[in-house]
Amino acid sequence: MEVLQCRGPVVPCQVLTPGFARPRAARIVPRSQSNNYSTPHSGYHFDGTSRRFFEGWYWRVTLPGDAKSFALIYSIEDPKGDGTFSGVGAQVMGPDDGYLLQYSDNVSLFWADSTQLALGACFQGSRRGAQGMLPQDKFTSLVKQGFQASSRWHQGNIIASETGASGDLMSTVDSCRWEFSIEPKSGWGKPSGRQRSTAGWLAALPIFEPHWQVLMSHGEATGWIEWGNDRYEFECAPAYAEKNWGGGFPNRWAWIQCNSFLDSPGTSVTAVGAERGLLQVPGLKENVGLIGIHHQGEFYELNIKDSRVRWTVSPWGSWRLEGSSSEFEAIIEAQCAESDGTPLRAPTASDGLAPFCRDSFAGNVTMRLWRAGDRARGSPPLIDVVSNGKSGAVEVGGGPWWSTWSVEAKMTEPVKQLLQLPLDVEYLADMLPRDIRPPGL
């Protein structure tokens, strides 16, 4: 039996060789025993119209060791089933840049809840067309190939099957199986307060292309993942989740995410800079950026609606995002080797689910936060942390990426003024009967 040794505060994890008896599956944590950090836009946003539409979900579990993570990535495109790129995909990015995709153009295999975080698909089995989360043992007996996911439970079994997806990116393993529970620790906002929409209240309207929501900035995952012939077991491993929806991914973007900092358990950062579409008008674009930090019960957000956000990102290997407001200043940096990373597919407006980005779990991430003015005075940061080895997630997507991208975000008016209005659309939506609430809220 090969054992991955723990380093620092990260969790125990072991790889079992084939033939070893499987231990008891992860325990599902009842909602009543856990805090609820449900964010706005946790539900499925499809409204039944024929316009180009996708929705995608991303979960990451960080394991001990450099570049030892898993990402489970699910997507549905043109759910009415009459589009050129109608389809459902389940991608897994594994340790050391491994990759797996199962894809089908039959969108009826997919289901999702419009009011809460719950989704799944049955590629093969006897529950096709059924809706809703199944008990653990029933899913195992009915779903031969497929997945189900919620805020607290993940289960699946998929095989390499790229037929129908765009591009020539091939799987590096034949199969993947998993069962694990998640205990959310923070969503998007202070743990003690109401959780926020990552993109502001305008995310409730079809304005941005795409929309984006961090669903869980930090959680703890317990269970197992079988990746090819290897089995990984973990307890209280750092977990993260986010989602996108709209007509297609941004034209270009850069992203850093880490919640496995040395000697700082529970600290999480998400930083992004992107060129996105606006108002569904061809050619109308804007550069937007955001830095969100959860640390010791506090939430620090540097958002372009009230902060300056700028970034310098190389075509691959170096990321630097900076933000400053009247209260705080932050610098987030990440590096990885030129040889690190693997292409991933993403929903695109012109080619459907196609290779469109490059990701790595081998990012060396540093994060520093000062009170406004303290950095210039030479005062020490409020937060100064580094990732536990090469454990940060980094990404570049879209393009072109011929040279370093250096820009300051600038939101188009009057969108910026509208975002600053003190509206709580999610609170108002909560007051509506379920059958007339906008989907996704």
Side-chain angles (χ1 to χ4, degrees):
M1 179 177 68
E2 178 187 0
V3 179
L4 299 180
Q5 298 294 328
C6 297
R7 296 186 179 96
V10 290
V11 299
C13 172
Q14 54 183 341
V15 182
L16 277 68
T17 53
F20 227 83
R22 289 194 181 97
R24 181 173 55 88
R27 180 174 62 94
I28 301 177
V29 179
R31 182 181 295 269
S32 60
Q33 296 181 16
S34 172
N35 292 321
N36 181 14
Y37 297 111
S38 178
T39 66
H41 301 287
S42 290
Y44 179 41
H45 289 81
F46 181 54
D47 59 5
T49 61
S50 297
R51 76 179 183 94
R52 167 65 181 159
F53 178 85
F54 85 92
E55 194 148 350
W57 297 259
Y58 174 101
W59 274 274
R60 183 164 88 102
V61 176
T62 303
L63 304 183
D66 291 347
K68 302 297 184 185
S69 292
F70 282 94
L72 305 175
I73 309 165
Y74 311 119
S75 59
I76 180 72
E77 297 181 82
D78 295 335
K80 290 200 73 172
D82 54 1
T84 304
F85 303 116
S86 292
V88 55
Q91 299 180 84
V92 182
M93 182 179 170
D96 304 314
D97 301 328
Y99 177 74
L100 175 64
L101 167 68
Q102 183 160 2
Y103 180 84
S104 173
D105 59 9
N106 185 354
V107 296
S108 69
L109 307 179
F110 175 84
W111 66 268
D113 193 301
S114 65
T115 62
Q116 62 182 331
L117 184 55
L119 61 141
C122 178
F123 295 116
Q124 186 180 99
S126 56
R127 74 138 323 165
R128 289 192 177 194
Q131 305 287 305
M133 297 288 292
L134 291 174
Q136 179 180 350
D137 56 348
K138 193 170 184 180
F139 180 92
T140 300
S141 64
L142 294 180
V143 180
K144 304 308 178 186
Q145 296 169 18
F147 64 87
Q148 61 176 357
S150 71
S151 60
R152 287 172 168 77
W153 180 248
H154 292 255
Q155 188 172 5
N157 180 14
I158 64 172
I159 63 170
S161 180
E162 301 87 359
T163 303
S166 298
D168 57 3
L169 178 61
M170 303 302 291
S171 300
T172 62
V173 297
D174 293 331
S175 64
C176 182
R177 297 179 65 245
W178 61 94
E179 289 184 3
F180 60 88
S181 62
I182 288 184
E183 176 79 2
K185 296 297 183 181
S186 57
W188 191 255
K190 290 186 65 171
S192 59
R194 184 177 176 85
Q195 301 304 288
R196 303 182 186 180
S197 171
T198 306
W201 71 268
L202 283 177
L205 304 174
I207 290 177
F208 308 127
E209 288 292 358
H211 292 282
W212 176 53
Q213 177 69 46
V214 174
L215 298 165
M216 179 181 64
S217 62
H218 181 67
E220 294 178 351
T222 297
W224 54 265
I225 298 174
E226 291 181 353
W227 182 242
N229 293 324
D230 292 330
R231 181 184 179 93
Y232 295 80
E233 298 176 352
F234 45 90
E235 184 176 357
C236 300
Y240 170 87
E242 65 176 46
K243 69 185 298 188
N244 296 89
W245 68 99
F249 262 49
N251 303 292
R252 180 163 55 165
W253 74 93
W255 174 82
I256 302 171
Q257 188 277 319
C258 186
N259 58 326
S260 52
F261 287 100
L262 190 63
D263 299 326
S264 191
T267 294
S268 174
V269 64
T270 304
V272 66
E275 180 187 271
R276 70 181 177 191
L278 189 65
L279 298 170
Q280 302 182 39
V281 177
L284 185 57
K285 306 171 184 177
E286 63 179 3
N287 288 311
V288 293
L290 177 146
I291 297 171
I293 299 169
H294 291 79
H295 178 72
Q296 296 181 357
E298 297 295 331
F299 177 57
Y300 307 91
E301 184 181 39
L302 298 166
N303 193 318
I304 57 171
K305 67 182 181 182
D306 54 16
S307 306
R308 293 183 62 189
V309 182
R310 50 201 175 275
W311 57 89
T312 300
V313 180
S314 68
W316 184 251
S318 176
W319 294 254
R320 179 184 173 97
L321 285 91
E322 303 177 49
S324 58
S325 69
S326 60
E327 295 183 275
F328 301 102
E329 180 178 1
I331 298 176
I332 317 299
E333 295 178 286
Q335 294 82 34
C336 72
E338 181 64 33
S339 59
D340 292 328
T342 180
L344 290 179
R345 287 179 170 89
T348 67
S350 58
D351 297 307
L353 190 65
F356 200 55
C357 53
R358 182 178 178 182
D359 285 59
S360 176
F361 297 142
N364 282 304
V365 179
T366 62
M367 176 175 68
R368 290 169 289 167
L369 177 82
W370 296 263
R371 294 194 184 278
D374 279 1
R375 182 187 174 207
R377 289 189 287 266
S379 301
L382 283 174
I383 304 172
D384 189 356
V385 292
V386 299
S387 59
N388 192 349
K390 298 178 180 180
S391 62
V394 290
E395 179 180 65
V396 296
W401 282 97
W402 307 122
S403 60
T404 295
W405 186 25
S406 185
V407 69
E408 180 169 334
K410 184 177 182 180
M411 181 171 279
T412 305
E413 297 291 0
V415 175
K416 184 173 183 178
Q417 292 180 343
L418 289 172
L419 269 178
Q420 292 173 337
L421 294 176
L423 297 180
D424 192 337
V425 174
E426 292 79 22
Y427 175 77
L428 296 175
D430 286 344
M431 300 175 65
L432 296 174
R434 177 170 178 164
D435 58 347
I436 64 171
R437 285 181 61 180
L441 287 175

